[in-house]
Amino acid sequence: MQLLCLTDTDPATALPGLDLLPHEVHRSPLNVRLSMGAAARFDLLLVDGVRDIRGARTACLELAPDCPVPRLLLCGETMLAVVAPEWQISDVILPTATPAEIEPRLRLAAAGTPTGAPAVGSAPAAAFTGRKMESTQ
């Protein structure tokens, strides 16, 4: 899988388990303006918000309107509350994720398959005998 990590550090620093997996990982600065043609060469974009969540937010919002390539946000637990649907990310990965968690999330995101986690800002939901049930908050 061809991955582009938008980060100002080594991708293995942002997500240590990533360098153990058999993917080709390219790096580009977090603040780069990525053309759609350049983005289309990759299966997935990783946006590093571990050290700079504001920069990651800006990168996601700039990509959001036109970019067909799925993107994953790397961010720490303490910043999860600021992630919003407008960022148009496929999933969030914590920097402490192991290769056993990273690999299926990469594959599911690249395939456009929901990861099973509720969308940011949505209410938890469950299914009972094939009928969706919304929970209250």
Side-chain angles (χ1 to χ4, degrees), residues 35-109:
S35 72
M36 294 313 109
R41 296 184 321 188
F42 300 97
D43 299 305
L44 197 59
L45 302 176
L46 303 173
V47 182
D48 180 10
V50 175
R51 287 169 189 73
D52 183 4
I53 196 69
R54 285 182 179 95
R57 176 185 176 274
T58 300
C60 288
L61 292 176
E62 286 178 356
L63 287 167
D66 303 315
C67 186
V69 180
R71 53 195 159 271
L72 294 176
L73 176 67
L74 312 175
C75 85
E77 283 181 64
T78 58
M79 291 296 129
L80 289 174
V82 303
V83 179
E86 296 80 35
W87 297 24
Q88 295 186 17
I89 56 171
S90 300
D91 200 358
V92 175
I93 299 181
L94 299 177
T96 56
T98 65
E101 180 180 355
I102 297 167
E103 182 63 17
R105 287 180 180 272
L106 293 176
R107 288 183 189 184
L108 289 170

